Amino acid sequence: MTVLPLTAVHAPRRRTVSITPAERIGRIALGLAGIVVGLVLLAGAGPALAVILEVLLIAAGLDLLVTGALGHCPLYAKLGHVPKSLRSPR
């Protein structure tokens, strides 16, 4: 029985940057705005549908904030999209 080193089994995958710097700034700004607006609206909670929509707004804001901060968009990776400015010359 062969025993593999721990690093070979649990080596973390490196995420590539798939978002341009301008898009990263935009995602962070819109994400923060979505979170703040969602929290302000949630403070004056009304009907159940409004609360659900406010929570979804906060979740979307968090998604934009995290993808912007990390510079990696899982949807772009899944679709194989790489912006022209980030493509390596061939």
Side-chain angles (χ1 to χ4, degrees):
M1 180 172 159
T2 305
V3 178
L4 295 174
L6 186 59
T7 56
V9 176
H10 296 290
R13 290 181 17 182
R14 186 166 187 264
R15 296 179 190 250
T16 58
V17 173
S18 61
I19 300 173
T20 63
E23 187 178 355
R24 288 179 79 172
I25 292 169
R27 283 178 182 242
I28 291 170
L30 286 174
L32 285 172
I35 292 167
V36 169
V37 169
L39 288 172
V40 167
L41 291 173
L42 195 58
L49 178 60
V51 171
I52 291 170
L53 292 174
E54 292 156 0
V55 169
L56 288 174
L57 177 61
I58 294 169
L62 283 170
D63 178 61
L64 286 171
L65 180 66
V66 169
T67 57
L70 295 177
H72 177 78
C73 178
L75 181 60
Y76 280 3
K78 188 84 164 171
L79 296 174
H81 173 72
V82 178
K84 286 183 182 180
S85 61
L86 296 178
R87 292 182 191 155
S88 57
R90 291 182 180 187

